[in-house]
Structures are given as C-alpha cells and as structure tokens.
Amino acid sequence: MADAVLVLLLLAALGATALLAVRALRHWYGERAGRVYELPVDHRGTLLRAGASGVAALFAATVAVPLVHDAAAGPVRTRAVAAREPDVMPSPPARTPEPAPPPPELRVLGHPAGGTLQELRDGTRVWLPRHYTTPSASGVAYPVVIVHTSSAGSSAASGLYSAFAGQANRGRANSFLLVAPPRCAADSAAVLTEVAARYRTLTARTAHGVIGIGSQAPCAVREALSHPDRYAAAVGISGDYPAMTRPTGRYPSLLLASTTAQAGQRASAVRLRTSLRPTGDQVRLLDGVPRAKDLPAQVAAYLTEKLDGPARTPTASLTPTPGSPFAPTVTATPTGTSTATPTGTTHTAPTKPPRAPHSASAPTSRAPAAHTPAPARKPATAPVSTSAPVSTSAPVTAPRPAPAPTSTARRTPPTPPRTPSPRAHTSTMPSHPHVTP
C-alpha cells in the first residue's frame, strides 16, 4: 500500500515538472519574439516557471529514491530467503498458569476506637480491645461477642466499637472481643473455634454472646434461641422480629432494644416477648433511649451483667495473680504426695499426727499461689530415764502429739486481696432509659 502511494506521488511530481518546464520555455520564446518590435523584455515569468519546475523535479527525485532502493533490495532478500532451508521450530510447551497466591492468614485493617481491627482469610473481622496487646494483659482471656450487621465495615459496626471502648474506659463495662462474620448464615460454631484458636478467649458458654443490628437483629435472636448451649445472652438492636417458635427448654437472656422514635420495632419486640413467655428478666425491652447512637453503650452494660468478664486462664504465660479464680488450691491426701489439678499444683502434708481443723478465718479453697503449708510437727516424746528401771507390766502410754494451733494465721502469709469476680457489674445500665422487666 505504501509503495502504491509513493508511485502516485512520483508520477504527479514528474507531470508537474514537465508542465512547468514547457510553460517556462514558451514564456522565454514569447519574450524573445518581442524584441523585434522593440517591446520591453521581462524574464521574471520564465524564472518563476523554471524554479517551480525544479522544485517539482526535486520532489520527484525524493520520492523515487525509496522506490529504487526497495526495487534493488527486493531480489537479494528473495534469494536469501529462498536459499535458506526452512527450519522447523518446535512449538514451546504450554505453560501452566501459576496459581494466584492465597490471601494472608491475617491482616490488620486499622485501629478504630483505640483497638485493633483484623480480618481473617474467610472475611471474618475481629476487633480487639485496647488493652489486649499490652504486656500486663498477656495472660488474660476475654469473652467473645458475635456481631451481625448488614456489612462488617458499616457505620453501625464502627459505632459499636466506639461505644464498647468508651464504656470500658469509663469502667462501666467489661472488655469484649467483637467478632463480625461476613454473613449471618455462617456457622457460628466454626467461627468461635477459629477465634479461640487464634486469640485469648474464654470458651465457656457463659462468656459468649451475640448481637444483631437492624435487619440482622432477627438472625441474631434466632441463632441464640436455636443454640442455647452456645450463648448466654443475645441482643437485638432496632429489629423487626417475625413470629418465632418458643424453645422447649430454657433459652439465653434476650435484650430487645429500640429508640423512642421506633414505634414499629418496639411493637415487634413486645410481640416477640409475649410469644416467648419469659420468666423473670429473661427477656428485657429497652425503649427509653432517644438516640440510636446511644443504644450500643447500653448493650455493653447489659452484656457485662450477663456474661463473664476477662479473667486469667490456667494456661496463661504469666503467673496467676494471688487470690484469682485460677490460683492453685491446697488440699490434703492420705498418701502425703503432691497432686496436680487444672487450677494449679496442690501441695499436701504428711498425715502422721492428726491436726486440728482450720478456723473459719483461714482460707481453705483459694490459697495464694506462693503459699506452701509448713511441715507437720513431730510428736513430742517423753524423756527416758536410764537410772530407774522400767516396769514391763505397766501399760505403755503412747506419746501424745503436740497440740495443733487453733488458727493458722501465724503460719500462713496474709491472704492478698482477691480479684473482682467476673460478674462484678450487677447492673450498669443508666437509670434514664425505660427498661421493661
């Protein structure tokens, strides 16, 4: 295609060169013929036509050079190709596409409300409280709360993190691990198992709760009613609940929260409470909060009342705090050997002489971890006189053991103050919301 265009340009340039040359020659003849009649001679026209003809000839030469070069090189290239024997190139083997690298096991998304938000490989997001990564909390296990929202990164989830962190900082609620699965239909048992394998969590039922916000509130309540052995408390926030079948046995404690402006949600919560026929405070209604952003703070206080709080586990890397529920206990066994229990190592004393029972003031079940009972005193023996003969007919009186102390206060170190019970908060909910028992 390019060669054809060059040929057309060359022909046009040659034609223009010839035409201008002829016109320049004719103009020159005309000026020459006027000399006979003594007319003035003007050669400018001849010069202009001759110059234009030269420009056209130069353009034709420029176009002809590549055409001549291609024509001269064409036969040589053809002969070289013809002389070379065709080589059969083997086709390269088909490469198997490399699989995409798997997503990381765990990645940090940010630090909302001073905590740490992480995402697991399956999309589950875990929010860790602020004190979780501190050295002082390296041996502390935390309760777990499953959170169901329309989206794990929604503003409702962010508000929940801020409310829980604020209540914990003010001392009005315990610290919880908030776990948001990617969807409500996910297997909650598998989620709890995965979280327990990666984080320091309490695995008892009394340390597990579930929350549903908005359209996911019915899913959270239904999950709690279907698995009473998995959760101890459930919360529905601003939800519209359909009719649900009342469980046959005892179900977890429920809190159905709504604002004063959400009349439809409150009416749905009342219908659900009536259909469940609760006993005592098994189902509570929270409808006296004017703003929706204040509901998560009340939820944190409710879960503090219903669930176990953070505690040191028996497998903690640090030494248990004396007086904590996981400190070792002291018991006596007839064999006089040391036995180990899940809560620590039990030290026992030899049972040669009988000992007086402990007084009411001495600790019996939760002894400090560093306490080791003093060895029992040997029975006092009567001095034997070598001068007086011993009568073999008289009965031999067995030596009496030394009197045991009535109180072990002097032989045992003072009992340190016990850590607060995980259920230290009986009810931290403010008084201004209206709570229907």
Side-chain angles (χ1 to χ4, degrees):
M1 183 66 182
D3 293 344
V5 173
L6 291 178
V7 170
L8 291 177
L9 291 177
L10 178 61
L11 295 177
L14 292 176
T17 301
L19 179 62
L20 292 174
V22 170
R23 289 191 176 185
L25 185 61
R26 290 178 60 184
H27 190 274
W28 181 75
Y29 275 115
E31 293 296 331
R32 185 179 178 182
R35 291 180 181 180
V36 179
Y37 304 101
E38 297 182 355
L39 295 176
V41 178
D42 187 7
H43 295 289
R44 289 181 298 178
T46 303
L47 296 177
L48 290 175
R49 290 174 175 81
S53 177
V55 171
L58 182 62
F59 178 77
T62 304
V63 174
V65 168
L67 292 176
V68 173
H69 177 72
D70 292 343
V76 176
R77 184 173 63 249
T78 303
R79 287 193 301 271
V81 172
R84 187 178 58 187
E85 296 181 359
D87 297 334
V88 179
M89 298 295 295
S91 59
R95 297 183 59 185
T96 303
E98 297 181 358
E105 292 280 345
L106 186 70
R107 62 191 185 107
V108 178
L109 302 180
H111 300 274
T116 304
L117 183 61
Q118 300 178 349
E119 186 178 43
L120 304 182
R121 178 178 293 182
D122 60 351
T124 301
R125 295 190 176 186
V126 181
W127 181 79
L128 308 176
R130 181 167 59 92
H131 298 287
Y132 181 88
T133 55
T134 58
S136 60
S138 60
V140 177
Y142 292 83
V144 180
V145 176
I146 303 293
V147 180
H148 294 303
T149 60
S150 57
S151 175
S154 61
S155 59
S158 301
L160 202 67
Y161 304 149
S162 302
F164 272 63
Q167 290 291 81
N169 294 336
R170 288 189 289 268
R172 299 180 180 178
N174 291 330
S175 297
F176 300 91
L177 258 69
L178 303 182
V179 181
R183 56 191 180 279
C184 187
D187 186 5
S188 58
V191 173
L192 291 174
T193 303
E194 179 73 12
V195 171
R198 294 181 178 274
Y199 303 94
R200 301 189 309 272
T201 61
L202 298 174
T203 57
R205 167 190 172 274
T206 55
H208 291 167
V210 59
I211 298 176
I213 303 177
S215 60
Q216 301 300 318
C219 179
V221 173
R222 188 181 299 107
E223 183 177 345
L225 297 178
S226 302
H227 303 282
D229 57 338
R230 192 176 298 168
Y231 301 102
V235 179
I237 302 177
S238 302
D240 191 1
Y241 311 98
M244 298 183 185
T245 306
R246 182 178 183 272
T248 55
R250 183 173 177 83
Y251 49 85
S253 300
L254 299 180
L255 176 65
L256 308 178
S258 59
T259 62
T260 54
Q262 296 173 340
Q265 286 80 355
R266 183 186 184 280
S268 177
V270 171
R271 289 194 299 268
L272 177 60
R273 182 179 186 274
T274 304
S275 64
L276 293 178
R277 299 194 296 275
T279 58
D281 64 342
Q282 199 170 7
V283 179
R284 292 186 189 178
L285 299 181
L286 176 63
D287 57 0
V289 179
R291 300 180 301 179
K293 65 179 182 180
D294 296 334
L295 288 176
Q298 311 302 326
V299 171
Y302 176 78
L303 292 178
T304 300
E305 177 184 348
K306 294 297 181 181
L307 301 182
D308 295 341
R312 293 191 179 275
T313 60
T315 57
S317 58
L318 298 181
T319 304
T321 303
S324 66
F326 298 97
T329 58
V330 178
T331 57
T333 58
T335 58
T337 58
S338 297
T339 58
T341 61
T343 58
T345 304
T346 303
H347 302 275
T348 60
T351 57
K352 291 181 180 179
R355 299 186 59 182
H358 292 279
S359 63
S361 61
T364 58
S365 59
R366 300 187 185 277
H371 169 64
T372 304
R377 296 181 179 179
K378 295 183 179 180
T381 57
V384 179
S385 176
T386 56
S387 59
V390 180
S391 176
T392 57
S393 61
V396 180
T397 305
R400 298 180 60 186
T406 58
S407 176
T408 59
R410 293 184 179 179
R411 297 193 304 143
T412 57
T415 304
R418 298 177 59 184
T419 55
S421 173
R423 299 181 182 272
H425 302 272
T426 55
S427 179
T428 56
M429 302 175 66
S431 57
H432 65 274
H434 173 65
V435 180
T436 304

